[in-house]
Amino acid sequence: MSEAIAAGIWLVGCGNMGGAMLRRWTESGVDPARVVVLDPGTPSVPAGVRVMASPPPGELPGIVVLAIKPQQLGAFADAVGDRLAGVPLLVSILAGVEEAVLAERFAPRAVVRAMPNLSVAIGKGVVALHSDTPDAALRDAAERLMAPLGLVEWIADEPLFDAVTALSGCGPGFVYRFIDAMAEAGAALGLPIDQARRLALATVEGSGLLAAQADAPPAVLADRVASPGGSTREGLNVLDRDDALVRLMRDTLAASARRNAEMAAEARK
Ligand SMILES: NC(=O)C1=CN([C@@H]2O[C@H](COP(=O)(O)OP(=O)(O)OC[C@H]3O[C@@H](n4cnc5c(N)ncnc54)[C@H](O)[C@@H]3O)[C@@H](O)[C@H]2O)C=CC1
Ligand SMILES: O=C(O)[C@@H]1CCC=N1
């Protein structure tokens, strides 16, 4: 465990995403007694984690993880921003909020921007990281903190965070829509909707697991499902016609990336 993690973690905001990360951290060996949740609400937290409405006086942890909504940043910074000055590592998962803005508002020694997704709750998430800090120990601390959550990847340029947020941060939302759409389509062919939902969910789960372990990329796996002259090919022809699915996904991710850029502009004000 890194020195910064051992020196304690303050998790600011423990909602959907902060809560998912926290559960996974304590399940994978982070000592709950070293974690303070700062949240004015009534979050449900693992046993042993302290919940406070404002930072404990006279203390600074090794790491502060910001997991409030971007729209809540101003109020938090105005209320207690100066209490974080000099904290070794500030990790922010806020969509669209840039490192320079965080550095200016909180004056930590290092900022790492992180983009997790909801599957971190079961250690199968994606966490993209970016930082300009030259401090290798603090970069390492951020990476070690995120390692139990799933696949961790450093992103070369901070502007690419809008793309990464659209793809893997928002991605679970798109996949859930796809599952529901598959179920709807099965029901339209006559299956009872509950059964169609079970089949669609298990199909996506199994396909993802197989693709993750397979010796071939998804395009090749798709061809293995599609027997020549068979029914999968007919369905793939619909998805592939005029790049229908690719164009839909491009529009979907572009809309999310655009919104991230807007949130970044709002946070700069
Ligand atoms: N939900 C998701 O799948 C993902 C969310 N994110 C990012 O995570 C952040 C949080 O999103 P969610 O967890 O979905 O939101 P949420 O609304 O579920 O959680 C926000 C939490 O912050 C608390 N809070 C509000 N004001 C506060 C303050 N001044 N001090 C301390 N705590 C405060 C709220 O009580 C709540 O528990 C956002 O910035 C979002 O961009 C990033 C990746 C994925
Ligand atoms: O919807 C949002 O803004 C956040 C960012 C990634 C997932 N949820």
Side-chain angles (χ1 to χ4, degrees):
M1 181 174 294
S2 85
E3 221 175 277
I5 300 174
I9 300 168
W10 289 356
L11 175 63
V12 181
C14 189
N16 290 315
M17 196 64 233
M21 292 165 67
L22 178 59
R23 272 192 301 283
R24 183 65 188 163
W25 281 329
T26 54
E27 277 167 16
S28 58
V30 171
D31 179 0
R34 309 297 304 152
V35 181
V36 174
V37 163
L38 298 177
D39 193 316
T42 49
S44 128
V45 300
V49 170
R50 284 178 289 164
V51 180
M52 302 182 142
S54 52
E59 279 182 47
L60 260 192
I63 305 179
V64 172
V65 179
L66 272 188
I68 52 180
K69 290 209 175 283
Q71 297 81 356
Q72 296 160 341
L73 181 68
F76 175 75
D78 290 347
V80 291
D82 53 348
R83 281 285 284 110
L84 305 191
V87 72
L89 178 59
L90 178 71
V91 177
S92 165
I93 68 163
L94 275 62
V97 180
E98 291 151 329
E99 285 160 43
V101 169
L102 297 161
E104 193 190 314
R105 294 211 171 184
F106 299 107
R109 272 175 41 208
V111 178
V112 171
R113 204 167 152 189
M115 183 44 59
N117 68 18
L118 214 48
S119 318
V120 298
I122 56 165
K124 288 284 179 193
V126 170
V127 186
L129 296 176
H130 182 272
S131 182
D132 281 332
T133 182
D135 189 322
L138 290 176
R139 292 173 74 90
D140 182 60
E143 197 172 321
R144 281 171 191 251
L145 182 67
M146 298 303 174
L149 306 185
L151 173 71
V152 179
E153 296 228 358
W154 287 95
I155 303 302
D157 300 310
E158 192 182 1
L160 287 175
F161 244 68
D162 289 343
V164 127
T165 300
L167 197 164
S168 57
C170 308
F174 308 145
V175 173
Y176 298 143
R177 270 290 191 283
F178 180 78
I179 295 170
D180 279 343
M182 255 185 126
E184 276 303 318
L189 290 174
L191 285 169
I193 185 67
D194 283 2
Q195 190 168 46
R197 287 191 182 122
R198 287 194 298 276
L199 299 187
L201 178 56
T203 298
V204 171
E205 181 189 18
S207 305
L209 285 171
L210 181 65
Q213 295 169 18
D215 56 355
V220 172
L221 298 179
D223 283 342
R224 286 184 193 164
V225 184
S227 322
S231 53
T232 310
R233 180 60 60 200
E234 284 300 304
L236 286 175
N237 287 345
V238 173
L239 295 179
D240 295 346
R241 191 174 305 132
D242 300 323
D243 281 339
L245 182 59
V246 171
R247 287 197 294 139
L248 183 62
M249 289 316 299
R250 279 195 186 147
D251 289 350
T252 303
L253 266 61
S256 290
R258 253 194 321 273
R259 179 62 193 135
N260 277 303
E262 286 168 8
M263 289 194 287
E266 283 159 20
R268 262 181 243 129
K269 285 177 192 161

